[in-house]
Amino acid sequence: MRSGLLKCAAGAVVSGLLLASCNNSTAYGGGGGGGCTPTATQVCMVSNLTFSPATLTITHGTTVTWMNGDAIAHTATSSSSSAEAFNSGQLGGGGTFTHAFNTPGTFHYYCQNHGFDGNPPGGMAGTITVN
């Protein structure tokens, strides 16, 4: 960690700029999450290890965006029982992932870091209902 900080500080001196990336990021994404405002098509990953909103109803053909408004990494991963498979991978603070829902139905998802698969999943989990 110390050598990483020294390299970052040296890079800042050489470039003459204080780089925003000179922080103590972790393997889980680190950095700041920034703000996230839930909408009719955006789900926020928030600091109390929840999705907001936890349930979302949309029409088929709608693209949903998940945004990590937290400082730690999260995923948006479809439940193994879901008819549509998706997985955002690790999203650090401020990261986004989109998925278009083209088939009507109920789709459960969860965060692989803070939830568990199931029908429905538990922990940090949510549901998309597509009409």
Side-chain angles (χ1 to χ4, degrees), residues 1-50:
M1 178 172 140
R2 186 177 194 140
S3 66
L5 289 175
L6 291 175
K7 286 178 189 175
C8 190
V13 169
V14 168
S15 68
L17 299 172
L18 178 59
L19 302 175
S21 63
C22 295
N23 63 17
N24 187 16
S25 295
T26 67
Y28 290 107
C36 181
T37 303
T39 68
T41 59
Q42 179 167 275
V43 176
C44 298
M45 302 159 169
V46 294
S47 61
N48 60 351
L49 302 181
T50 60

Side-chain angles (χ1 to χ4, degrees), residues 57-125:
T57 301
I58 59 173
T59 57
H60 72 280
T62 300
T63 297
V64 173
T65 300
W66 285 265
M67 180 178 185
N68 187 351
D70 198 359
I72 60 173
H74 297 289
T75 73
T77 306
S78 59
S79 170
S80 59
S81 64
S82 179
E84 286 195 33
F86 57 89
N87 187 345
S88 66
Q90 297 293 321
L91 296 176
T96 61
F97 168 73
T98 60
H99 180 76
F101 288 88
N102 296 311
T103 307
T106 300
F107 304 96
H108 300 290
Y109 65 93
Y110 67 106
C111 173
Q112 289 179 315
N113 301 335
H114 306 105
F116 54 89
D117 197 0
N119 190 18
M124 185 174 176

